[in-house]
Amino acid sequence: MAEKHPLDLHSLTFTGQLSGRCKIPGDKSISHRSVILGSLAEGETRISGFLRSEDCLATLNIMRQLGVNIVEDGDDLVVTGVGLHGLQPPAGHLDCGNAGTAMRLLSGLLAAQRFSSTLVGDESLSGRPMGRVITPLTQMGAQIKSDEHTAPLEFSPSIQMKAIDYHSPIASAQVKSAVLLAGLYADGVTTVTEPNKSRDHTETMLKGFGCNLQVDGLKVSVHGQPHLRGQAIKVPADVSSAAFFMVLGLCHPDADLLLENVNINPTRDGVIKILQAMGGRLSLENPRTEAGEAVADVRIQSSQLRGIDIPEALIPSAIDEFPVLFIAAALANGTTRLTGAEELRHKESDRITVMIKGLQLLGVDCKELPDGAEITGGPLHSGMVDGHGDHRCAMSFLLAGALRPEVDTVVRGCHNIDTSFPEFFTLVEQLGMRHQQPVPVVTIDGPSGVGKGTTSALLAARLGWHLLDSGAIYRSLALKVMNDDLDPANEAQLAEAAKALRLSFQADGQHARILLDGQQVNDQLRSEACGDMASQVAPIAAVRQALLQRQKAFQQPPGLVADGRDMGTVVFKSAPLKVFLTANAEERAKRRHKQLKEKGVDVKIRDLLRDIEARDHRDSTRKVAPLVPAMDAHVIDTSDLSIEEVLAQIMNLVGQHVKV
Ligand SMILES: Nc1ncnc2c1ncn2[C@@H]1O[C@H](COP(=O)(O)OP(=O)(O)OP(=O)(O)O)[C@@H](O)[C@H]1O
Ligand SMILES: Nc1ccn([C@H]2C[C@H](O)[C@@H](COP(=O)(O)O)O2)c(=O)n1
């Protein structure tokens, strides 16, 4: 999995109308290819609309390292081609970052050079399968060293590439392009046949550069040793990026949006066909051809989508859009079923698992299939989902949150959005969405006497974060009930008292002075009687509602450790780290006994055990906000652990999930 970045938490909220025109950035696939083919051409290639995303910039930098002069001219890029045989040996490793397209396409190119080179990538890319390009390139005579067919890929100098007739077992434009690029260096005709048609930008662009290339159904043939001529290339808007705004507009209650100049190449338009089949009001205006590519303005209007069985024939032409299509399915009426898409497991993440896990956390009725998923639309719940460093999954979850402003959705693992869509947050803000980076919360829930308070205070001190002792709030209400002789059975009276509670927490060294009606009450709150009364008033829904905002207000920079019973399940549902502490009741009674004895209070363990068990029962069986671990909580049994050991485990989880 990709590395997690500090406080990589984002959320989008949106309540307004969605209208107007929207300029989507340039196509990623075409941008990569334009700079590679421009480099191999003779003369100048001017590229307008080049996508300056991390992935495409990785390709651009590699071409520069191979001796190609590429300069910016306003928004355009000007590439001075060096001809097919003009690339120079690089000084060091060639870093593709997160870009699968860069690594696979450049493999075809580097395999054919008369110098050695090494392609490297980030952690995610280094786990992705490269055997699919190594196999055909080796058949062409390439010598590529790799560990289990993954990056780094080391290319030995090529003697002479052999033309081959390759039948690819998968429909992959990256494989096809790698073989075609290597085929440029072979004598004779290199042919690639695919089981289904994959995107054909390489073929279109090679023809534009003057290459002798034939397409016959699923078969593409290229004649080696061409003279490529520099071109002017206008990169259209990326349909994969546009797809996010298609789903946004269709699922928004009040949208009429025009996405300008979108690439609608028939090998890429699966998302449009699928959304139309789901009942989406999505139309193509002013269709035209630019630089060999079909483009149109895409009009999106609010629609009620319905679930469908996605036709397998559409999968290759929508392969990058399934993360956001899964969101469309989660917001549609009925069930959407996808099969035959096992390839999704080999993208920047295993997109089937990442998307289905995330949707399940948001309460969507869905399940993984070996080669797809089944998703039934319905309401979303609040929650924190992980994009796992996969740009398309992260953006999809963010838009799901924006489409359901009534729930609180936080997405982590967004740090790779810049690999394909650096303008994403700017664009959504231009459309009226609110982008926030929520203050991180660690919730620590568990039963009475388990050590929540002790651990939370130590953790907050260690992190330098705020501390919420929510039990103290319920105990303060309980004290008020006892002091003012209120009736614990009168729900309306208790709710009023909860709303009007004059309670404040004042920092006092590592602890807080708790003031109720202006009086310091720390010691009184800790009495067993007060705890017991708190447990009696806490089940009342109106009381909990009245105290909710007071607890949420503790979420202040730089972070919050929240201790209680329902911190992870109700109050901070979208917390990036949820911990649930348990310990057997006997151990908790022993700890409490020791604690009270140190304070000079003499009670029998047997009585404490009985009270603890009664409180456990009341807290965990109540109808509202019962004491249960959140679905995504990390459960730690502290029965045999010291306080330091518990803290060390939690600090370890903080390092993994929040990283501060
Ligand atoms: N892992 C542990 N090992 C031994 N003693 C512990 C451990 N954790 C906590 N204690 C001790 O147990 C007692 C109860 O802990 P603490 O008050 O933190 O529990 P709590 O879960 O916050 O209880 P409550 O729900 O009643 O507020 C304290 O005296 C504390 O020092
Ligand atoms: N988030 C919370 C915190 C506390 N309560 C109730 C239930 C407990 O028995 C009681 C006292 O809590 P403690 O100070 O022992 O943590 O308050 C709750 O319902 N929800």
Side-chain angles (χ1 to χ4, degrees):
M1 282 299 155
E3 191 197 340
K4 295 210 162 58
H5 285 218
L7 307 188
D8 179 24
L9 304 173
H10 298 260
S11 73
L12 288 181
T13 43
F14 191 28
T15 44
Q17 194 195 29
L18 185 61
S19 64
R21 302 172 79 87
C22 189
K23 265 194 184 22
I24 307 285
D27 187 275
K28 184 153 83 85
S29 299
I30 295 176
S31 294
H32 279 293
R33 287 157 172 84
S34 64
V35 88
I36 295 173
L37 292 186
S39 299
L40 301 184
E42 288 156 21
E44 187 178 286
T45 291
R46 175 172 285 270
I47 308 168
S48 60
F50 181 83
L51 174 67
R52 285 164 172 81
S53 73
E54 286 176 0
D55 277 12
C56 298
L57 292 175
T59 295
L60 185 150
N61 286 333
I62 289 174
M63 296 321 298
R64 280 182 173 150
Q65 278 178 269
L66 293 169
V68 182
N69 184 30
I70 306 171
V71 293
E72 310 244 356
D73 183 12
D75 280 349
D76 291 357
L77 281 185
V78 180
V79 182
T80 305
V82 295
L84 207 55
H85 298 285
L87 297 178
Q88 299 301 313
H93 289 175
L94 302 168
D95 189 355
C96 300
N98 192 249
T101 304
M103 186 162 281
R104 296 197 178 111
L105 266 59
L106 292 171
S107 291
L109 190 62
L110 295 172
Q113 302 305 315
R114 293 186 180 273
F115 50 79
S116 54
S117 57
T118 302
L119 284 175
V120 297
D122 69 6
E123 198 188 331
S124 154
L125 183 56
S126 303
R128 294 179 64 185
M130 295 297 148
R132 53 183 63 189
V133 289
I134 294 174
T135 301
L137 293 174
T138 305
Q139 286 174 22
M140 296 177 84
Q143 287 185 49
I144 307 170
K145 221 170 102 195
S146 74
D147 188 7
E148 294 185 355
H149 285 175
T150 54
L153 305 181
E154 291 174 31
F155 299 86
S156 299
S158 154
I159 315 286
Q160 173 60 50
M161 299 308 280
K162 284 199 296 277
I164 59 167
D165 181 2
Y166 186 62
H167 287 252
S168 176
I170 49 169
S172 161
Q174 294 175 352
V175 173
K176 175 173 64 180
S177 303
V179 177
L180 293 177
L181 285 170
L184 298 179
Y185 290 85
D187 287 329
V189 179
T190 295
T191 300
V192 187
T193 307
E194 302 184 275
N196 289 298
K197 189 132 179 94
S198 65
R199 64 188 63 176
D200 61 1
H201 306 301
T202 303
E203 297 91 299
T204 303
M205 209 180 281
L206 274 170
K207 278 190 200 160
F209 274 88
C211 186
N212 185 358
L213 178 140
Q214 285 83 40
V215 179
D216 178 10
L218 300 173
K219 189 164 127 183
V220 185
S221 305
V222 67
H223 293 250
Q225 308 296 348
H227 283 282
L228 305 178
R229 289 183 308 271
Q231 297 294 302
I233 297 176
K234 209 170 147 197
V235 181
D238 196 325
V239 67
S240 299
S241 300
F244 297 107
F245 297 89
M246 294 177 193
V247 172
L248 180 73
L250 296 175
C251 298
H252 186 280
D254 186 9
D256 190 346
L257 198 61
L258 194 76
L259 310 178
E260 293 177 5
N261 205 38
V262 178
N263 183 222
I264 52 159
N265 179 319
T267 62
R268 296 283 300 281
D269 66 355
V271 64
I272 296 174
K273 292 183 173 138
I274 292 169
L275 288 170
Q276 283 172 332
M278 292 175 82
R281 292 198 295 156
L282 189 152
S283 52
L284 303 181
E285 297 185 355
N286 189 18
R288 53 209 182 266
T289 303
E290 283 176 8
E293 291 284 347
V295 291
D297 301 323
V298 183
R299 185 164 178 209
I300 319 289
Q301 290 167 286
S302 310
S303 312
Q304 178 53 65
L305 298 183
R306 56 178 180 273
I308 57 165
D309 283 356
I310 296 177
E312 289 198 12
L314 290 179
I315 291 172
S317 60
I319 193 69
D320 286 342
E321 287 70 71
F322 282 105
V324 78
L325 284 169
F326 280 17
I327 300 297
L331 301 176
N333 277 341
T335 301
T336 296
R337 199 179 147 81
L338 171 71
T339 55
E342 203 267 342
E343 178 64 10
L344 291 178
R345 296 197 182 277
H346 308 290
K347 294 289 177 179
E348 283 83 332
S349 69
D350 175 340
R351 286 185 173 160
I352 296 177
T353 298
V354 168
M355 289 306 299
I356 294 301
K357 278 224 160 74
L359 288 175
Q360 284 170 342
L361 259 165
L362 297 178
V364 177
D365 175 10
C366 57
K367 66 173 185 203
E368 284 190 38
L369 304 174
D371 57 349
E374 208 171 86
I375 302 167
T376 301
L380 297 192
H381 298 173
S382 297
M384 211 259 353
V385 285
D386 197 337
H388 282 284
D390 184 325
H391 52 129
R392 298 200 196 281
C393 297
M395 287 186 276
S396 301
F397 286 132
L398 282 166
L399 291 180
L403 283 163
R404 291 292 177 266
E406 67 281 7
V407 298
D408 180 13
T409 312
V410 173
V411 186
R412 93 164 149 231
C414 298
H415 48 276
N416 278 331
I417 287 178
D418 284 359
T419 61
S420 69
F421 205 157
E423 293 99 331
F424 178 73
F425 286 116
T426 310
L427 201 53
V428 294
E429 281 180 335
Q430 278 167 7
L431 287 171
M433 276 172 246
R434 185 150 174 247
H435 171 212
Q436 286 174 294
Q437 292 203 256
V439 172
V441 181
V442 175
T443 62
I444 303 193
D445 288 306
S448 181
V450 75
K452 303 179 299 297
T454 312
T455 320
S456 297
L458 288 170
L459 181 67
R462 204 162 283 187
L463 296 174
W465 285 10
H466 298 281
L467 174 68
L468 165 61
D469 173 3
S470 62
I473 298 180
Y474 285 92
R475 283 175 186 258
S476 299
L477 177 63
L479 188 60
K480 179 86 183 157
V481 171
M482 297 193 293
N483 286 349
D484 293 5
D485 224 1
L486 303 181
D487 176 4
N490 185 336
E491 297 195 359
Q493 191 187 45
L494 291 183
E496 277 313 308
K499 268 189 225 152
L501 207 58
R502 280 184 53 226
L503 177 66
S504 63
F505 292 80
Q506 290 180 351
D508 181 13
Q510 283 210 354
H511 300 282
R513 279 159 35 93
I514 306 175
L515 303 181
L516 176 66
D517 294 329
Q519 302 294 315
Q520 183 171 350
V521 290
N522 294 55
D523 288 341
Q524 294 169 63
L525 294 186
R526 292 319 306 171
S527 76
E528 289 305 295
C530 196
D532 196 61
M533 178 60 81
S535 171
Q536 285 181 53
V537 298
I540 301 167
V543 164
R544 301 199 77 80
Q545 187 56 37
L547 296 178
L548 190 61
Q549 214 36 55
R550 206 184 274 269
Q551 296 170 78
K552 283 182 183 277
F554 277 75
Q555 187 176 1
Q556 295 293 334
L560 174 67
V561 179
D563 142 23
R565 301 291 189 289
D566 61 343
M567 298 296 99
T569 50
V570 176
V571 184
F572 301 107
K573 278 188 192 163
S574 55
L577 175 59
K578 299 177 184 174
V579 176
F580 191 89
L581 300 181
T582 62
N584 61 59
E586 289 75 15
E587 174 62 26
R588 286 186 281 137
K590 260 194 249 160
R591 290 176 188 174
R592 182 69 83 211
H593 183 255
K594 183 164 174 264
Q595 186 182 31
L596 291 171
K597 209 164 155 201
E598 280 164 9
K599 282 192 194 163
V601 182
D602 186 22
V603 272
K604 294 206 164 46
I605 289 198
R606 198 182 47 227
D607 295 340
L608 285 173
L609 180 60
R610 194 194 53 229
D611 288 352
I612 278 180
E613 284 174 341
R615 184 111 72 92
D616 281 0
H617 180 73
R618 217 169 21 231
D619 290 348
S620 54
T621 55
R622 69 187 180 209
K623 284 206 179 68
V624 191
L627 171 68
V628 285
M631 186 177 152
D632 48 343
H634 298 262
V635 179
I636 302 177
D637 187 340
T638 72
S639 306
D640 298 318
L641 298 177
S642 69
I643 294 172
E644 263 313 313
E645 284 170 331
V646 177
L647 193 62
Q649 285 200 20
I650 299 178
M651 280 304 286
N652 189 27
L653 290 169
V654 169
Q656 286 172 37
H657 296 270
V658 191
K659 202 148 184 190
V660 283

